[in-house]
Amino acid sequence: MVQDVEMKDQTTPPNSISSAVPLEIQQTAAVVASLKDIAALIETGAYAKEVRRIARAVRLTVALRKKLTNSVINGFLDFALGPSSEARARLAAYVAKDDEHGMEVDTATSGGQSSSKHLLPEIEIYCHLLVLIFLIDQKQFKQAKAFSSASIARLKSLNRRTVDVLASRLYFYYSHSYEVTGDLAEIRGNLLALHRIATLRHDELGQETLLNLLLRNYLHYNLYDQAEKLRSKAPRFEAHSNHQFCRYLFYLGKIRTIQLEYTDAKEALLQAARKAPVSARGFRIQCNKWAVLVRLLLGEIPERTIFMQRGMEKALRPYFELTNAVRIGDLELFRTVAEKFATTFNTDRTHNLIVRLRHNVIRTGLRNISISYSRISLVDVAKKLRLDSANPVADAENIVAKAIRDGAIDATLDHANGWMVSKETGDIYSTNEPQMAFNSRIAFCLNMHNEAVRALRFPPNTHKEKESAEKRRERQQQEQELAKHIAEEEDDDF
Amino acid sequence: MDPKVTEATQLFGRFKAAIVRNDFPTSTNLLSQLKVMLTGFKSLPPLFEDTPSSVHELTLARDIYEHAVILSVEMEDQDAFERDFFQLKPYYTDVGGRIPPSPQEYPILGLNLLRLLVQNRIAEFHTELELLSSAALENPCIKHAVELEQSFMEGAYNRVLIARQTVPHDTYVYFMDLLAKTVRDEIAGCSEKAYDYLSIQDARQMLLFTSDKELSEYINEEHPEWEIKNGFVYFQKAKEVAPSKEIPSLQLINQTLSYARELERIV
């Protein structure tokens, strides 16, 4: 669901070979050149065993995504893998042959520099990733499916920590290509096997990604039981990627909601919505929808600002009206809203949750009655709640009794006279209650501060040596690039 | 046909006959033999191998487990029900169109929902519910269970009791009876909090007893703290939150000291 929203803004119209041929060639050459830079980055990363550089390479690639064309891919593959190597041949089947202009670029750029050198597995996997992204962007999902399976098979035979970053991206697109074609169930076994491999190799990023993909896979088919069993048994560690962590929280929230653990669910969903980058609109809408429902189920009324967030008003509209019905406690209105937006709720797969809400509507209505009247007959209660059943008064009596037991209202029933007597709300300030509430808030703030302090990161070795001017320049440049591309990466990820 | 399949079919015939005769020892005995036999078939879950007789084998195995589930209800054995149901479930969810759907599917799924409700396993109830299509939710057997859960959550217990008369399937009666007991406990719990007192007659009606004697036995057993006096049942009220008479000084000192410590750390 989330992915569908995301993909729409990612896919570019297939690049047409326009009449402006020279410009086209220029562009192609420029893109191939930047890809070569990326390849060089991966190489250094691989030799120096610096995962960080490879992660950066992936980010840079995403920025180029919209500029990829057949000729670019072919040109780069020839350069990176060598025109006649075995690895090149494996990829060739999936990328369409070049148009004539592309060929010129190829010969011009690749020129004897690459073919003989030893091929790094990182570069090979990177090529796989590039081709896969390209296929998905071109909407050749069948091809992408076949190709991703082949890449995964190749990946299984490699065991290098520097490949992990690339591998986790590859897993993601692998699952994505199957999801788009609607065959997600097929790869479940494979994903589980990959997760096991990742665990054995201590590839935490891979584990994180695969766990999320598996959860997504299960939840796609509403297999909440299996998802929870996997989630509770999979090893947990500190999150490596913010995106993966957001997703994890979202899935966790969904599972918890279905299992009626609303407090936990609310926490997870709100955190997911807060942590998700601003550009991930589809994902945040989903989080908000679920969070609204969970809060309603908890008996809270979400603030109006939640529904007025920029770019979400329309998507959250049905949920806003639903909230309104619950807030008023009007069963009739609730029923109309539920029917009016039935299709939305069905596509969001929240229909069952909304059925659960009925009970909360009654509760709120009852609470309103109990606040307004000090004594009211059960007949009137039934009428006000608009209970439509064979015996509304008996129903009302039972419902009120249960509400009293659950602590929703403070009242007593008088069976002989058939009325409900609300208790006077005592002076809360004569008890220790306010002090306890105050204490818990202070504790929360102090705890928050302490956690913030603990979360601060200090770069290693800052106190030991002053960095040289050159090093500093390099670092600053890297930081700038990072800042620039983080936004783009987020764009891509959600 | 494969001799093993023929043998299993024959045994299954005897098993069905035993169920009809209500001969429980024989039928459980035959059922264990059948289950052992089923392990020999490769076309069954989780292997799902495509053999020439796989359709026949799958249908047979599903039939056997469906009967096993019904048998466990008749024997009033909830653990056996759970076991057999989980063995049966893959035949509904994972066969992927290899065999046509069973007419027993919805009644049995509904029965399982009812069981979860009776055992008060609401989380699992909802997990199972998510697996059902919207068409399935319209089925009377499923709908029955779903509506029961709703009435139960709302507290409309008399609706639960009325539902007993409208069971969609004979096997449901066993669980509905169990549910009635759960409902009684719920009502007792609610009344305790909601009423100061009730006349014995009203209490008897509400707790669904036919005689005053049953009522007093129930009170003695389950709620000895209730008091029967002058034809009324008095419930013991939980203690109200009393206004605090004195300032909890020790606690306050502790709290203030801890604030001071934390503030020191910040500044």
Side-chain angles (χ1 to χ4, degrees):
Chain A
M1 315 152 280
V2 185
Q3 229 58 45
D4 299 347
V5 185
E6 297 152 18
M7 284 314 289
K8 265 174 214 147
D9 16 17
Q10 286 171 12
T11 41
T12 42
N15 278 13
S16 55
I17 308 302
S18 64
S19 51
V21 175
L23 187 70
E24 189 81 3
I25 292 180
Q26 260 178 17
Q27 271 182 357
T28 313
V31 179
V32 173
S34 17
L35 281 177
K36 279 181 190 164
D37 288 346
I38 296 174
L41 192 66
I42 294 179
E43 233 163 85
T44 22
Y47 283 124
K49 304 224 182 314
E50 283 187 290
V51 179
R52 179 174 55 87
R53 284 184 199 273
I54 297 183
R56 196 163 134 233
V58 175
R59 274 201 299 278
L60 291 171
T61 315
V62 172
L64 290 176
R65 198 167 165 174
K66 292 195 171 121
K67 296 184 193 143
L68 295 180
T69 61
N70 258 338
S71 35
V72 169
I73 299 275
N74 274 323
F76 177 69
L77 290 185
D78 283 343
F79 161 77
L81 305 172
S84 51
S85 70
E86 195 194 333
R88 174 78 181 86
R90 274 202 294 266
L91 296 177
Y94 296 99
V95 188
K97 270 280 146 270
D98 268 328
D99 50 85
E100 49 202 304
H101 319 299
M103 275 321 227
E104 288 162 29
V105 180
D106 286 354
T107 42
T109 49
S110 62
Q113 66 184 145
S114 58
S115 51
S116 59
K117 89 182 154 193
H118 176 65
L119 179 64
L120 276 171
E122 284 82 1
I123 296 286
E124 188 190 341
I125 295 300
Y126 177 71
C127 292
H128 277 263
L129 181 63
L130 199 65
V131 172
L132 183 55
I133 292 180
F134 178 65
L135 286 174
I136 290 179
D137 282 353
Q138 299 292 308
K139 294 193 189 293
Q140 297 176 359
F141 297 124
K142 281 229 169 59
Q143 289 261 38
K145 230 170 83 175
F147 177 70
S148 59
S149 308
S151 311
I152 295 293
R154 174 84 188 94
L155 201 58
K156 273 186 189 165
S157 60
L158 296 172
N159 183 10
R160 283 166 75 110
R161 292 293 61 79
T162 36
V163 179
D164 288 348
V165 181
L166 297 166
S168 70
R169 302 303 300 167
L170 209 52
Y171 299 144
F172 173 77
Y173 289 112
Y174 170 56
S175 164
H176 181 63
S177 58
Y178 274 81
E179 183 171 344
V180 181
T181 42
D183 302 317
L184 218 44
E186 267 174 43
I187 57 166
R188 202 177 294 150
N190 225 338
L191 287 177
L192 281 167
L194 285 169
H195 186 260
R196 196 163 55 231
I197 294 174
T199 312
L200 288 175
R201 289 178 181 168
H202 297 285
D203 167 12
E204 297 195 344
L205 187 63
Q207 285 180 57
E208 212 171 50
T209 317
L210 286 163
L211 179 63
N212 277 336
L213 292 175
L214 278 164
L215 289 180
R216 186 184 183 83
N217 200 317
Y218 284 128
L219 296 190
H220 187 82
Y221 297 96
N222 280 350
L223 296 165
Y224 287 93
D225 196 25
Q226 281 92 327
E228 170 58 18
K229 279 186 180 135
L230 173 72
R231 193 205 61 77
S232 57
K233 295 196 169 59
R236 280 303 296 158
F237 33 78
E238 215 172 303
H240 285 260
S241 146
N242 182 38
H243 305 314
Q244 296 302 337
F245 190 51
C246 284
R247 287 210 180 90
Y248 175 77
L249 284 173
F250 177 57
Y251 300 141
L252 177 66
K254 275 174 92 164
I255 296 173
R256 289 274 182 265
T257 314
I258 296 301
Q259 299 187 326
L260 295 105
E261 292 169 34
Y262 299 134
T263 323
D264 292 353
K266 180 184 130 189
E267 206 171 296
L269 288 168
L270 286 182
Q271 207 183 344
R274 225 175 289 138
K275 267 186 186 278
V278 185
S279 53
R281 205 172 62 93
F283 179 80
R284 280 174 53 230
I285 290 179
Q286 285 291 336
C287 286
N288 274 310
K289 282 178 180 174
W290 279 76
V292 165
L293 283 179
V294 168
R295 294 185 65 182
L296 287 176
L297 283 166
L298 270 172
E300 298 174 17
I301 304 295
E303 307 83 17
R304 190 173 274 265
T305 44
I306 288 185
F307 303 98
M308 298 302 152
Q309 298 178 67
R310 206 157 51 80
M312 293 191 198
E313 299 98 332
K314 199 156 161 277
L316 292 180
R317 187 82 207 163
Y319 292 87
F320 175 66
E321 294 199 15
L322 197 72
T323 308
N324 213 16
V326 178
R327 188 176 59 86
I328 302 170
D330 185 341
L331 266 186
E332 206 58 49
L333 183 62
F334 174 72
R335 219 169 289 148
T336 356
V337 173
E339 265 165 36
K340 188 170 153 202
F341 296 109
T343 40
T344 323
F345 296 143
N346 273 331
T347 41
D348 288 347
R349 301 203 274 178
T350 48
H351 177 255
N352 283 340
L353 295 179
I354 292 174
V355 173
R356 287 190 209 173
L357 264 180
R358 189 185 132 86
H359 155 67
N360 289 63
V361 181
I362 296 179
R363 276 282 156 87
T364 335
L366 202 56
R367 208 174 302 146
N368 290 345
I369 294 173
S370 141
I371 290 170
S372 351
Y373 297 89
S374 60
R375 195 175 73 190
I376 181 167
S377 77
L378 289 169
V379 185
D380 289 337
V381 172
K383 225 180 274 169
K384 279 187 185 294
L385 291 177
R386 304 204 211 184
L387 300 170
D388 52 343
S389 62
N391 191 351
V393 180
D395 271 2
E397 186 166 353
N398 281 325
I399 290 172
V400 172
K402 188 159 195 271
I404 293 173
R405 190 198 55 176
D406 296 349
I409 54 173
D410 204 7
T412 45
L413 280 169
D414 191 329
H415 184 76
N417 295 318
W419 61 45
M420 169 179 112
V421 183
S422 303
K423 277 187 200 150
E424 298 289 316
T425 38
D427 179 13
I428 194 99
Y429 285 97
S430 66
T431 65
N432 280 330
E433 203 72 18
Q435 192 218 330
M436 276 183 321
F438 190 47
N439 180 42
S440 73
R441 282 177 201 191
I442 293 177
F444 175 81
C445 291
L446 290 173
N447 199 22
M448 170 100 93
H449 175 266
N450 284 343
E451 270 179 17
V453 170
R454 223 172 292 146
L456 285 178
R457 271 193 205 162
F458 302 98
N461 296 336
T462 34
H463 53 286
K464 270 192 198 153
E465 48 178 321
K466 287 257 179 283
E467 51 187 349
S468 67
E470 195 189 337
K471 263 190 179 165
R472 183 164 60 230
R473 231 189 350 267
E474 196 192 339
R475 184 176 54 84
Q476 279 169 347
Q477 190 197 344
Q478 277 185 11
E479 274 170 5
Q480 266 173 13
E481 260 178 54
L482 194 72
K484 204 171 86 196
H485 290 294
I486 274 181
E488 282 154 2
E489 187 205 20
E490 287 172 345
D491 232 359
D492 158 66
D493 239 28
F494 281 95
Chain B
M1 201 191 284
D2 195 342
K4 276 206 300 194
V5 180
T6 329
E7 198 191 336
T9 321
Q10 279 168 1
L11 202 59
F12 180 47
R14 280 167 56 203
F15 171 56
K16 275 198 284 196
I19 294 183
V20 173
R21 285 200 313 272
N22 273 341
D23 183 353
F24 294 142
T26 323
S27 35
T28 30
N29 196 7
L30 286 171
L31 179 61
S32 337
Q33 285 178 38
L34 277 170
K35 281 188 182 169
V36 173
M37 222 178 253
L38 287 180
T39 53
F41 296 135
K42 288 217 164 83
S43 64
L44 303 184
L47 291 172
F48 283 124
E49 265 175 37
D50 266 326
T51 54
S53 55
S54 64
V55 174
H56 192 85
E57 286 170 17
L58 280 169
T59 325
L60 178 69
R62 191 179 62 186
D63 247 11
I64 291 173
Y65 284 123
E66 278 173 354
H67 277 84
V69 168
I70 309 253
L71 173 71
S72 65
V73 177
E74 276 165 19
M75 289 172 57
E76 312 198 340
D77 183 346
Q78 296 188 27
D79 291 337
F81 180 98
E82 187 166 354
R83 265 196 315 272
D84 291 332
F85 177 78
F86 279 127
Q87 278 177 310
L88 175 62
K89 212 175 151 193
Y91 293 90
Y92 293 149
T93 51
D94 296 340
V95 286
R98 286 185 185 83
I99 46 173
S102 150
Q104 289 291 311
E105 178 168 348
Y106 290 142
I108 287 186
L109 287 179
L111 205 57
N112 183 49
L113 289 176
L114 202 56
R115 172 185 68 93
L116 292 172
L117 201 57
V118 169
Q119 299 177 342
N120 206 12
R121 287 151 76 171
I122 306 293
E124 282 169 70
F125 178 91
H126 283 289
T127 314
E128 289 290 320
L129 207 58
E130 288 295 320
L131 290 172
L132 299 172
S133 64
S134 51
L137 290 175
E138 289 303 313
N139 185 282
C141 298
I142 307 281
K143 216 173 171 180
H144 183 253
V146 173
E147 280 172 5
L148 271 181
E149 193 266 348
Q150 267 186 48
S151 313
F152 208 79
M153 284 308 284
E154 273 167 33
Y157 297 120
N158 47 333
R159 250 186 270 155
V160 178
L161 298 172
I162 292 167
R164 194 188 173 292
Q165 272 104 54
T166 57
V167 284
H169 203 269
D170 295 340
T171 43
Y172 281 48
V173 173
Y174 163 60
F175 283 118
M176 290 306 288
D177 285 343
L178 286 180
L179 198 59
K181 280 180 205 143
T182 320
V183 167
R184 175 177 300 153
D185 292 337
E186 282 284 310
I187 294 181
C190 291
S191 315
E192 189 177 37
K193 293 276 173 345
Y195 301 100
D196 293 327
Y197 55 86
L198 276 175
S199 73
I200 287 193
Q201 202 192 344
D202 291 335
R204 196 189 68 210
Q205 261 176 21
M206 250 181 233
L207 295 175
L208 326 157
F209 288 111
T210 41
S211 71
D212 292 354
K213 195 165 160 284
E214 277 178 317
L215 176 67
S216 52
E217 269 170 22
Y218 175 79
I219 291 177
N220 282 335
E221 228 166 81
E222 303 279 331
H223 298 278
E225 71 278 11
W226 295 2
E227 222 179 315
I228 305 178
K229 229 171 26 186
N230 316 329
F232 285 99
V233 182
Y234 289 93
F235 304 106
Q236 296 293 324
K237 282 278 150 188
K239 295 275 177 294
E240 306 269 326
V241 189
S244 64
K245 296 272 165 14
E246 55 184 301
I247 297 164
S249 37
L250 206 59
Q251 195 192 345
L252 269 179
I253 293 170
N254 269 331
Q255 279 173 6
T256 323
L257 280 179
S258 76
Y259 299 155
R261 201 169 48 239
E262 294 284 339
L263 276 175
E264 192 123 283
R265 226 187 284 172
I266 293 173
V267 182

